[in-house]
Amino acid sequence: MAVSKFSDVDEYGFKREPDFDYKSYENIMSSYLSVLTTRSMRWQKFLKSADMLKNRSKLKRFVRKGVPGSLREEVWMKTSGAQELLQQQPNLYQTLLTYEFDQEISDQIKLDLPRTFPDNIHFEQYQLSLYNVLIAFAHHNRTVGYCQGLNYIAGLLLLVTKNEVSSFWLLKVVVENIVPLYHTKTMDNLITDIEVLSELIRLRAPDVHRHIFDLGLPWPVIATKWFICLYAEVVPTETVLRIWDCLFLEGNKILLRVGLTVVVRLRQDLLATDDIATLIGLFRSLEKSHVLMDCHEFMKSIFKVPGNLRRSQLDALRQRFYSERMASKGKGS
């Protein structure tokens, strides 16, 4: 049997599953590694030439083709606006860590620390940093406090940046600006966006939408973790990070593009399921999907498969579903 040149641990420290398809991965990486090298050289030149934020069209083109791992912290901080916020309050994070901690929140976070990336060989050394980032954010934003899902976002931010301060500010921007009201107790915008995703799929892939409905699997069961964790712990790690490259620049529309593309590109596999258990199993094994393993091709497809998703169209759908839900609640009270 041929031996893979790739280790059983990925570049971020995550252990690969025993049934990991090394052959397909090698085929994908043989071309992707050269893409990474080329992109890295171009990014270095781009960052040295001028303020990248002033050339929005070039920045978007570069980001969509992927940010090199070594530059992600710098690029994410700038494109998300986190760097500007940090400069306005440079001592905020350290100050938050001096506060007296809310015991209930502290206990909840501590409970989730060992549950966060247990299959990552590096993550144990980041558990204290993860606690610090999460407890600081919980005391900073008391409306959100702490909820499950934030541990995966902050944990992956730490693995990428290796920096508590950057991870705190990026988490703040995600929760408060990019996906506001996803992580609150009512989860208003999360529920709304799952309804929007369902509608987009109904319009773009009606046969899949009908099939999933007929099998009785509700969209919140499918997509809640997708959106709450921003696809962390859902799709392969490098694909998550490529999604986040775009998310920090272009906002939450990227989450809908990804969800819609996943369903359309897995259309035949989804239609081939004949019971709810098999369907759930397929959605829970996206990390092993060849479609999602090839992050470069997949990221190209999220800007082609869904077609033109206008902000005005999405805002109208969000307003419609939110209003319908509030009206329904009003009748029920």
Side-chain angles (χ1 to χ4, degrees):
M1 188 176 78
V3 177
S4 172
K5 64 183 177 183
F6 291 99
S7 134
D8 59 357
V9 175
D10 74 14
E11 56 269 49
Y12 302 98
F14 290 97
K15 296 175 186 174
R16 304 191 199 278
E17 295 285 336
D19 59 349
F20 183 77
D21 188 346
Y22 287 96
K23 190 170 187 297
S24 296
Y25 185 70
E26 284 187 19
N27 290 335
I28 292 166
M29 291 305 290
S30 62
S31 58
Y32 187 50
L33 287 173
S34 63
V35 169
L36 287 175
T37 304
T38 304
R39 298 312 308 165
S40 182
M41 290 164 54
R42 290 180 178 172
W43 265 103
Q44 295 282 2
K45 189 176 178 183
F46 181 37
L47 291 175
K48 285 178 182 175
S49 62
D51 180 356
M52 65 179 183
L53 297 177
K54 290 181 178 176
N55 193 339
R56 180 83 182 184
S57 60
K58 185 174 182 179
L59 176 60
K60 184 185 282 190
R61 194 170 72 248
F62 268 52
V63 164
R64 288 184 174 186
K65 291 181 179 179
V67 180
S70 61
L71 300 176
R72 274 198 167 111
E73 179 184 7
E74 178 184 356
V75 173
W76 288 358
M77 288 291 287
K78 288 180 179 176
T79 56
S80 67
Q83 186 65 42
E84 188 177 348
L85 294 175
L86 167 60
Q87 288 169 350
Q88 291 169 8
Q89 294 181 285
N91 299 316
L92 175 63
Y93 179 67
Q94 286 78 8
T95 303
L96 289 167
L97 290 178
T98 66
Y99 288 5
E100 185 177 345
F101 296 159
D102 180 297
Q103 195 59 50
E104 187 178 342
I105 291 176
S106 177
D107 290 345
Q108 194 180 354
I109 291 171
K110 285 177 181 176
L111 198 63
D112 282 342
L113 293 179
R115 299 172 180 171
T116 309
F117 304 140
D119 293 331
N120 188 290
I121 63 170
H122 303 312
F123 202 74
E124 194 172 348
Q125 66 181 296
Y126 288 106
Q127 286 193 3
L128 177 58
S129 293
L130 178 59
Y131 174 82
N132 288 342
V133 170
L134 292 173
I135 198 73
F137 179 77
H139 288 119
H140 174 62
N141 186 325
R142 294 181 183 271
T143 303
V144 173
Y146 172 71
C147 77
Q148 287 183 326
L150 295 182
N151 53 319
Y152 292 114
I153 297 171
L156 195 50
L157 288 170
L158 282 165
L159 283 171
V160 172
T161 67
K162 301 175 176 58
N163 184 315
E164 286 185 29
V165 176
S166 295
S167 295
F168 166 80
W169 284 101
L170 288 167
L171 181 67
K172 174 179 163 63
V173 167
V174 163
V175 176
E176 296 177 2
N177 300 349
I178 297 177
V179 288
L181 303 184
Y182 266 31
H183 300 89
T184 53
K185 285 182 173 63
T186 57
M187 295 181 168
D188 282 332
N189 286 353
L190 173 73
I191 296 166
T192 299
D193 277 359
I194 291 171
E195 291 177 312
V196 170
L197 176 65
S198 172
E199 177 67 3
L200 291 172
I201 291 166
R202 187 188 69 79
L203 295 171
R204 181 68 176 76
D207 52 350
V208 181
H209 192 275
R210 168 55 61 177
H211 182 68
I212 290 172
F213 177 81
D214 289 344
L215 288 182
L217 185 61
W219 281 102
V221 174
I222 299 168
T224 295
K225 187 174 182 181
W226 292 5
F227 288 177
I228 277 278
C229 299
L230 312 180
Y231 295 99
E233 283 282 278
V234 174
V235 304
T237 310
E238 184 61 29
T239 307
V240 178
L241 299 179
R242 288 288 302 271
I243 292 167
W244 288 13
D245 289 344
C246 298
L247 184 71
F248 282 123
L249 178 67
E250 300 186 53
N252 58 32
K253 182 164 69 168
I254 294 297
L255 301 179
L256 295 168
R257 282 193 170 277
V258 171
L260 182 52
T261 303
V262 166
V263 171
V264 171
R265 291 200 58 187
L266 295 180
R267 178 177 173 273
Q268 295 301 332
D269 293 338
L270 292 167
L271 291 175
T273 59
D274 53 13
D275 61 76
I276 193 170
T278 309
L279 183 60
I280 290 171
L282 198 156
F283 278 122
R284 285 183 177 170
S285 61
L286 294 180
E287 279 187 298
K288 300 177 183 177
S289 165
H290 291 178
V291 167
L292 286 146
M293 191 186 294
D294 190 345
C295 63
H296 199 54
E297 283 305 312
F298 178 75
M299 290 307 293
K300 285 181 187 176
S301 70
I302 76 165
F303 298 106
K304 294 176 182 175
V305 170
N308 185 20
L309 290 184
R310 296 186 307 279
R311 181 72 62 184
S312 57
Q313 174 198 8
L314 297 179
D315 287 346
L317 284 172
R318 284 167 169 152
Q319 184 59 48
R320 172 188 145 195
F321 288 120
Y322 180 76
S323 298
E324 287 175 359
R325 201 166 66 253
M326 291 302 104
S328 176
K329 276 186 180 179
K331 287 178 185 176
S333 60

mmCIF file of all heavy atoms in Angstrom, residues 253-269:
data_model
loop_
_atom_site.group_PDB
_atom_site.id
_atom_site.type_symbol
_atom_site.label_atom_id
_atom_site.label_comp_id
_atom_site.label_asym_id
_atom_site.label_seq_id
_atom_site.Cartn_x
_atom_site.Cartn_y
_atom_site.Cartn_z
ATOM 1 N N LYS A 253 -22.937 37.944 4.059
ATOM 2 C CA LYS A 253 -23.465 37.380 2.816
ATOM 3 C C LYS A 253 -22.672 36.140 2.406
ATOM 4 O O LYS A 253 -23.205 35.220 1.782
ATOM 5 C CB LYS A 253 -23.418 38.444 1.713
ATOM 6 C CG LYS A 253 -23.985 37.977 0.381
ATOM 7 C CD LYS A 253 -24.290 39.138 -0.554
ATOM 8 C CE LYS A 253 -23.032 39.815 -1.053
ATOM 9 N NZ LYS A 253 -23.321 40.746 -2.172
ATOM 10 N N ILE A 254 -21.398 36.106 2.795
ATOM 11 C CA ILE A 254 -20.533 34.970 2.466
ATOM 12 C C ILE A 254 -21.089 33.680 3.066
ATOM 13 O O ILE A 254 -21.028 32.608 2.446
ATOM 14 C CB ILE A 254 -19.093 35.218 2.982
ATOM 15 C CG1 ILE A 254 -18.453 36.397 2.235
ATOM 16 C CG2 ILE A 254 -18.233 33.964 2.860
ATOM 17 C CD1 ILE A 254 -18.284 36.177 0.736
ATOM 18 N N LEU A 255 -21.653 33.743 4.273
ATOM 19 C CA LEU A 255 -22.199 32.546 4.921
ATOM 20 C C LEU A 255 -23.334 31.950 4.099
ATOM 21 O O LEU A 255 -23.467 30.729 3.976
ATOM 22 C CB LEU A 255 -22.692 32.874 6.330
ATOM 23 C CG LEU A 255 -21.653 33.437 7.308
ATOM 24 C CD1 LEU A 255 -22.311 33.723 8.657
ATOM 25 C CD2 LEU A 255 -20.481 32.482 7.484
ATOM 26 N N LEU A 256 -24.164 32.811 3.515
ATOM 27 C CA LEU A 256 -25.264 32.355 2.667
ATOM 28 C C LEU A 256 -24.738 31.784 1.361
ATOM 29 O O LEU A 256 -25.236 30.757 0.874
ATOM 30 C CB LEU A 256 -26.227 33.515 2.403
ATOM 31 C CG LEU A 256 -26.968 34.046 3.630
ATOM 32 C CD1 LEU A 256 -27.658 35.367 3.320
ATOM 33 C CD2 LEU A 256 -27.993 33.034 4.136
ATOM 34 N N ARG A 257 -23.736 32.429 0.796
ATOM 35 C CA ARG A 257 -23.124 31.909 -0.445
ATOM 36 C C ARG A 257 -22.576 30.497 -0.225
ATOM 37 O O ARG A 257 -22.747 29.611 -1.061
ATOM 38 C CB ARG A 257 -21.993 32.834 -0.909
ATOM 39 C CG ARG A 257 -22.458 34.105 -1.610
ATOM 40 C CD ARG A 257 -21.309 34.810 -2.319
ATOM 41 N NE ARG A 257 -21.789 35.880 -3.177
ATOM 42 C CZ ARG A 257 -22.251 35.719 -4.405
ATOM 43 N NH1 ARG A 257 -22.319 34.503 -4.921
ATOM 44 N NH2 ARG A 257 -22.660 36.737 -5.112
ATOM 45 N N VAL A 258 -21.890 30.316 0.894
ATOM 46 C CA VAL A 258 -21.299 29.014 1.193
ATOM 47 C C VAL A 258 -22.381 27.954 1.369
ATOM 48 O O VAL A 258 -22.314 26.870 0.780
ATOM 49 C CB VAL A 258 -20.406 29.088 2.456
ATOM 50 C CG1 VAL A 258 -19.973 27.691 2.898
ATOM 51 C CG2 VAL A 258 -19.175 29.951 2.189
ATOM 52 N N GLY A 259 -23.402 28.261 2.177
ATOM 53 C CA GLY A 259 -24.473 27.295 2.429
ATOM 54 C C GLY A 259 -25.193 26.887 1.158
ATOM 55 O O GLY A 259 -25.460 25.697 0.933
ATOM 56 N N LEU A 260 -25.495 27.865 0.327
ATOM 57 C CA LEU A 260 -26.183 27.594 -0.938
ATOM 58 C C LEU A 260 -25.314 26.751 -1.868
ATOM 59 O O LEU A 260 -25.783 25.795 -2.496
ATOM 60 C CB LEU A 260 -26.555 28.932 -1.599
ATOM 61 C CG LEU A 260 -27.338 28.899 -2.914
ATOM 62 C CD1 LEU A 260 -28.575 28.025 -2.806
ATOM 63 C CD2 LEU A 260 -27.727 30.317 -3.326
ATOM 64 N N THR A 261 -24.029 27.073 -1.915
ATOM 65 C CA THR A 261 -23.112 26.334 -2.788
ATOM 66 C C THR A 261 -22.931 24.891 -2.319
ATOM 67 O O THR A 261 -22.874 23.966 -3.138
ATOM 68 C CB THR A 261 -21.737 27.048 -2.849
ATOM 69 O OG1 THR A 261 -21.933 28.389 -3.292
ATOM 70 C CG2 THR A 261 -20.789 26.342 -3.799
ATOM 71 N N VAL A 262 -22.845 24.686 -1.007
ATOM 72 C CA VAL A 262 -22.732 23.326 -0.467
ATOM 73 C C VAL A 262 -23.900 22.471 -0.954
ATOM 74 O O VAL A 262 -23.721 21.357 -1.467
ATOM 75 C CB VAL A 262 -22.700 23.344 1.082
ATOM 76 C CG1 VAL A 262 -22.941 21.945 1.637
ATOM 77 C CG2 VAL A 262 -21.370 23.877 1.586
ATOM 78 N N VAL A 263 -25.114 22.993 -0.818
ATOM 79 C CA VAL A 263 -26.305 22.224 -1.184
ATOM 80 C C VAL A 263 -26.366 21.967 -2.691
ATOM 81 O O VAL A 263 -26.648 20.849 -3.134
ATOM 82 C CB VAL A 263 -27.577 22.949 -0.699
ATOM 83 C CG1 VAL A 263 -28.836 22.296 -1.261
ATOM 84 C CG2 VAL A 263 -27.625 22.959 0.822
ATOM 85 N N VAL A 264 -26.073 22.989 -3.482
ATOM 86 C CA VAL A 264 -26.146 22.826 -4.943
ATOM 87 C C VAL A 264 -25.081 21.855 -5.439
ATOM 88 O O VAL A 264 -25.352 20.983 -6.265
ATOM 89 C CB VAL A 264 -26.009 24.198 -5.647
ATOM 90 C CG1 VAL A 264 -25.874 24.021 -7.151
ATOM 91 C CG2 VAL A 264 -27.213 25.078 -5.331
ATOM 92 N N ARG A 265 -23.869 21.971 -4.915
ATOM 93 C CA ARG A 265 -22.787 21.114 -5.400
ATOM 94 C C ARG A 265 -22.908 19.668 -4.902
ATOM 95 O O ARG A 265 -22.364 18.758 -5.516
ATOM 96 C CB ARG A 265 -21.430 21.712 -5.034
ATOM 97 C CG ARG A 265 -21.141 22.992 -5.823
ATOM 98 C CD ARG A 265 -19.691 23.344 -5.853
ATOM 99 N NE ARG A 265 -18.858 22.285 -6.412
ATOM 100 C CZ ARG A 265 -17.525 22.323 -6.415
ATOM 101 N NH1 ARG A 265 -16.906 23.370 -5.900
ATOM 102 N NH2 ARG A 265 -16.820 21.343 -6.925
ATOM 103 N N LEU A 266 -23.608 19.477 -3.803
ATOM 104 C CA LEU A 266 -23.844 18.114 -3.302
ATOM 105 C C LEU A 266 -25.237 17.614 -3.691
ATOM 106 O O LEU A 266 -25.744 16.651 -3.109
ATOM 107 C CB LEU A 266 -23.679 18.068 -1.784
ATOM 108 C CG LEU A 266 -22.273 18.363 -1.238
ATOM 109 C CD1 LEU A 266 -22.264 18.273 0.274
ATOM 110 C CD2 LEU A 266 -21.240 17.400 -1.817
ATOM 111 N N ARG A 267 -25.834 18.257 -4.657
ATOM 112 C CA ARG A 267 -27.217 17.974 -5.059
ATOM 113 C C ARG A 267 -27.476 16.487 -5.291
ATOM 114 O O ARG A 267 -28.428 15.913 -4.740
ATOM 115 C CB ARG A 267 -27.542 18.765 -6.321
ATOM 116 C CG ARG A 267 -28.927 18.531 -6.888
ATOM 117 C CD ARG A 267 -29.187 19.420 -8.093
ATOM 118 N NE ARG A 267 -30.451 19.087 -8.729
ATOM 119 C CZ ARG A 267 -30.586 18.146 -9.657
ATOM 120 N NH1 ARG A 267 -29.523 17.462 -10.070
ATOM 121 N NH2 ARG A 267 -31.768 17.887 -10.189
ATOM 122 N N GLN A 268 -26.645 15.835 -6.112
ATOM 123 C CA GLN A 268 -26.885 14.431 -6.437
ATOM 124 C C GLN A 268 -26.792 13.543 -5.194
ATOM 125 O O GLN A 268 -27.593 12.624 -5.016
ATOM 126 C CB GLN A 268 -25.882 13.951 -7.499
ATOM 127 C CG GLN A 268 -26.031 14.635 -8.855
ATOM 128 C CD GLN A 268 -27.427 14.438 -9.462
ATOM 129 O OE1 GLN A 268 -28.094 13.441 -9.200
ATOM 130 N NE2 GLN A 268 -27.879 15.402 -10.244
ATOM 131 N N ASP A 269 -25.806 13.816 -4.341
ATOM 132 C CA ASP A 269 -25.655 13.037 -3.107
ATOM 133 C C ASP A 269 -26.860 13.222 -2.188
ATOM 134 O O ASP A 269 -27.342 12.258 -1.567
ATOM 135 C CB ASP A 269 -24.382 13.448 -2.355
ATOM 136 C CG ASP A 269 -23.121 13.087 -3.115
ATOM 137 O OD1 ASP A 269 -23.172 12.189 -3.970
ATOM 138 O OD2 ASP A 269 -22.077 13.710 -2.849
#
